[in-house]
């Protein structure tokens, strides 16, 4: 058990729970768990954070929202073989994306991050250095820590376990002024629909990564990427959660509803319409399709982690929010029995937009 207060120099340690009757991993491997925790602390350690009173050292972390704030909580599970591939994704990328998924959900609610909690299940070989290379887990925390610092999100606790499959379960806790959270349920007929950034880049990047992996004979070990290829793949490998844009919308009170684009616009817009009990029409000619992506990838490819939001037609939405472009892509309409909820206008006219984004258990 490692303990520390966040107001001391070394903060953001990771909490290790040992269950009754379980032989501590560290006892069997003196260089194992304890050393691993020290390494994690040295990578994620940093300055004290305003929203975190007690990072670790007790049974729970203590968070300190400002008076009048509500707590926003989100959890995301990442499993090797489902959400990432050990042979395709460099460990820094897996760390970055694990945190980005959670932060994106906070962004969609207009919440500011207070703290992250991370539980990792790892095969033992991922915790030990590979020849002269750093251990997989150290590189995971390099990627995780860089994004955590960008968004001032302390790692305030978690759990570690040896596991057959690599699994990362992230919990993000955020704060939002009471009654001000951006919800999926607030869209009304006549509202305009907006998205941040560009769409389809993550799907196009994944296609590129798959080709790279197959081109290299799918051999074990992540491919070494050239800087040009890294640029092409950036949208997939390093999605940027739109925390600043979500906070901007929340503070201005301009958005009627919001959701983050994790599963693809056709699926996520359908969720928003369902919660708001409305329909939507989008215009293909104004969709901000990523230059390396197809329209199909922009509509149905997931993991762009951009924000989709609605606002009344009279609301003045700028074309750039906190450095990221914002595009108006359609409008909310009334729901009609017997008519599709999602439609898209193309040069062929108006047709139904089927949700074809990512869905588990399908
Ligand atoms: Mg979400």
């Amino acid at each position: 058990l490692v303990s520390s207060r966040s107001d001391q120099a070394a903060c953001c340690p990771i909490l290790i729970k040992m269950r009754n009757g379980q032989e501590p991993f560290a006892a069997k491997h003196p260089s194992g768990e304890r050393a691993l925790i020290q390494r994690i602390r040295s990578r994620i350690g940093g300055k004290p954070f305003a929203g975190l009173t007690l990072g670790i050292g007790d049974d729970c972390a203590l968070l300190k929202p400002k008076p009048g704030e509500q707590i926003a909580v989100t959890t995301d599970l990442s499993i090797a073989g489902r959400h990432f591939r050990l042979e395709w994704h460099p460990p820094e990328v897996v760390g970055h994306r694990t945190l980005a998924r959670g932060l994106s959900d906070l962004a969609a609610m207009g919440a500011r991050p207070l703290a992250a909690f991370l539980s990792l299940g790892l095969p033992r070989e991922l915790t030990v250095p590979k020849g002269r290379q750093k251990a997989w887990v150290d590189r995971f925390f390099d990627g995780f820590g860089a994004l955590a610092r960008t968004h001032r999100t302390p790692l305030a606790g978690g759990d570690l376990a040896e596991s057959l499959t690599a699994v990362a379960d992230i919990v993000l806790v955020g704060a939002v002024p009471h009654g001000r959270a951006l919800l999926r349920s607030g869209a009304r007929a006549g509202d305009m629909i907006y998205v941040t950034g560009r769409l389809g880049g993550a799907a196009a990047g994944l296609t590129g990564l798959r080709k790279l992996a197959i081109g290299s004979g799918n051999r074990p070990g992540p491919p070494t990427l050239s800087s040009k290829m890294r640029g092409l793949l950036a949208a997939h490998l390093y999605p940027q959660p739109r925390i600043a844009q979500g906070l901007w919308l929340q503070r201005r009170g301009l958005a009627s509803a919001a959701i983050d684009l994790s599963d693809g616009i056709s699926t996520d817009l359908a969720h928003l319409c369902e919660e708001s009990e409305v329909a939507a029409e989008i215009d293909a000619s104004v969709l901000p399709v990523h230059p390396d992506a197809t329209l199909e990838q922009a509509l149905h490819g997931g993991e762009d982690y951009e924000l989709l939001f609605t606002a009344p037609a009279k609301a003045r939405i700028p074309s750039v929010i906190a450095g990221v472009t914002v595009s108006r892509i359609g409008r909310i309409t009334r729901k009609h029995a017997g008519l599709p909820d999602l439609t898209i206008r193309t040069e062929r006219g108006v047709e139904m937009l089927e949700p074809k984004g990512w869905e588990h258990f399908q």
Side-chain angles (χ1 to χ4, degrees):
L1 191 69
V2 175
S3 75
S4 157
R5 278 177 181 273
S6 69
D7 53 2
Q8 291 168 353
C11 87
C12 322
I14 187 156
L15 173 66
I16 302 304
K17 286 180 271 184
M18 289 173 187
R19 295 192 178 81
N20 288 341
Q22 222 178 24
E23 192 185 358
F25 185 52
K28 282 186 287 184
H29 308 276
S31 63
E33 189 170 299
R34 275 165 208 275
L36 176 55
I37 294 156
Q38 283 307 322
R39 282 170 10 224
I40 293 168
R41 291 180 65 179
S42 71
R43 274 175 171 71
I44 308 290
K47 296 185 280 295
F49 289 86
L52 181 67
T53 306
L54 184 65
I56 229 98
D58 225 302
D59 297 299
C60 297
L62 292 175
L63 305 180
K64 193 173 69 176
K66 291 175 188 163
E69 281 186 329
Q70 285 176 303
I71 295 294
V73 183
T74 177
T75 174
D76 274 297
L77 185 59
S78 296
I79 304 174
R82 297 304 298 173
H83 303 92
F84 61 91
R85 299 259 189 128
L86 290 171
E87 65 274 26
W88 292 3
H89 292 101
E92 294 85 356
V93 162
V94 181
H96 175 101
R97 284 164 50 91
T98 295
L99 181 57
R101 293 179 69 194
L103 285 173
S104 182
D105 281 327
L106 290 186
M109 301 291 285
R112 70 185 172 93
L114 285 181
F117 299 83
L118 176 68
S119 293
L120 280 179
L122 294 176
R124 190 177 175 278
E125 65 264 24
L126 298 187
T127 67
V128 292
K130 216 176 176 182
R132 289 167 65 186
Q133 265 215 337
K134 280 196 239 177
W136 186 94
V137 68
D138 293 311
R139 296 178 57 196
F140 172 95
F141 277 105
D142 285 343
F144 186 100
L147 186 64
R149 280 188 289 279
T150 301
H151 293 286
R152 303 187 44 74
T153 306
L155 181 62
D159 201 2
L160 282 173
E162 203 169 338
S163 161
L164 289 175
T165 306
V167 174
D169 191 22
I170 184 92
V171 175
L172 260 293
V173 180
V176 61
H178 196 278
R180 306 274 300 182
L182 309 175
L183 307 181
R184 295 178 179 183
S185 55
R188 296 292 171 260
D191 285 358
M192 296 296 158
I193 306 170
Y194 301 84
V195 290
T196 60
R198 296 182 296 191
L199 305 175
L206 179 59
T207 302
L209 193 60
R210 187 178 286 131
K211 279 184 191 148
L212 263 181
I214 291 165
S216 70
N218 229 343
R219 62 168 183 264
T224 314
L225 303 174
S226 70
S227 62
K228 180 170 176 273
M229 190 52 89
R230 260 203 295 275
L232 175 72
L233 301 179
H236 171 70
L237 299 180
Y238 292 102
Q240 298 300 316
R242 301 306 189 192
I243 290 286
Q245 292 70 27
L247 283 172
W248 191 95
L249 290 168
Q250 177 264 108
R251 285 172 182 150
R252 303 289 169 114
L254 290 177
S256 50
I259 189 169
D260 66 316
L261 295 176
S262 53
D263 298 326
I265 192 170
S266 64
T267 294
D268 292 317
L269 180 56
H271 291 322
L272 186 143
C273 285
E274 195 180 326
E275 292 301 318
S276 293
E277 297 178 31
V278 293
E281 179 183 309
I282 62 173
D283 184 346
S285 69
V286 294
L287 268 189
V289 181
H290 190 283
D292 297 316
T294 64
L295 178 62
E296 286 289 299
Q297 288 169 326
L299 290 171
H300 309 299
E303 303 188 310
D304 282 321
Y305 297 110
E306 296 294 347
L307 292 186
L308 180 147
F309 62 95
T310 60
K314 64 176 192 304
R316 294 175 69 170
I317 303 295
S319 57
V320 175
I321 296 177
V324 173
T325 59
V326 174
S327 310
R328 192 166 87 187
I329 61 160
R331 62 196 180 94
I332 297 292
T333 59
R334 242 178 266 288
K335 226 173 143 69
H336 286 291
L339 289 178
D341 285 348
L342 286 195
T343 53
I344 181 165
R345 182 179 291 278
T346 66
E347 61 264 27
R348 293 191 299 270
V350 177
E351 30 189 84
M352 180 179 171
L353 177 63
E354 265 182 273
K356 288 191 209 156
W358 179 260
E359 214 178 312
H360 285 280
F361 307 112
Q362 281 258 317

